[in-house]
Amino acid sequence: MRKRKGRIIAVAILIFAVLLGIACLCRWFFDYSSVLYANWGFSLPIKAGYSEIYSRSTEASWHGDGIRYHVFSCKNTEPVSEMFDWQLTERATQDCESYSEAVEKWLAEISVPEEEYPDMEECCWWYQSRAVGGDEILVLWNESEGKLYIVEYFL
């Protein structure tokens, strides 16, 4: 009887360990950084010690179009500061006169509360668009707050 009880406990522990391992792998494979890499060719630096503090997006669609907004808090700012050739001046996007106009338009479209908007005057910018499809991404970096804001617009 004791051997059977011991085996049941051992099997339960083994099942728990396997499920925990699968959960960790899923988190690693489906981390938003891997999505960014697949869509835009860059990932968030692990050394930044980032954690997602806010996200909002349009409803899931068949074609994957819509708007995605993610805010990350970074413990170490140096790796993020070295990610891109950050710009201090705004430029036009495909449909807007400036980066900040595009961010405000897109965030309003998905009903992001104003308190979750980036302080755009304190941020530097990185922008990329695709000629085919018209997709756009704006990445804002507020180094003094250690916050990284990512707004993606998929047509």
Side-chain angles (χ1 to χ4, degrees), residues 11-133:
V11 168
I13 290 172
L14 180 63
I15 290 171
F16 177 76
V18 167
L19 291 175
L20 184 63
I22 290 171
C24 289
L25 281 174
C26 285
R27 186 179 186 280
W28 183 73
F29 280 116
F30 297 109
D31 181 62
Y32 192 66
S33 186
S34 62
V35 173
L36 286 170
Y37 186 78
N39 289 333
W40 301 102
F42 74 90
S43 56
L44 301 176
I46 293 172
K47 291 182 180 182
Y50 65 88
S51 59
E52 188 174 50
I53 57 175
Y54 183 82
S55 73
R56 188 158 183 99
S57 62
T58 52
E59 295 292 323
S61 71
W62 182 258
H63 298 286
D65 56 337
I67 300 168
R68 297 179 193 156
Y69 178 55
H70 296 269
V71 182
F72 297 91
S73 177
C74 301
K75 293 178 184 175
N76 185 4
T77 61
E78 187 177 340
V80 178
S81 296
E82 296 172 354
M83 271 177 66
F84 302 118
D85 183 18
W86 296 103
Q87 303 297 310
L88 295 174
T89 51
E90 296 187 50
R91 294 188 171 89
T93 66
Q94 292 180 11
D95 295 321
C96 296
E97 294 293 318
S98 67
Y99 295 158
S100 56
E101 180 185 330
V103 169
E104 287 175 1
K105 177 182 171 185
W106 298 338
L107 297 186
E109 199 170 313
I110 58 172
S111 303
V112 172
E114 282 194 33
E115 60 267 13
E116 298 298 338
Y117 280 44
D119 182 357
M120 291 182 257
E121 293 179 3
E122 296 296 319
C123 292
C124 49
W125 307 82
W126 183 80
Y127 171 78
Q128 186 175 9
S129 65
R130 295 189 187 130
V132 177

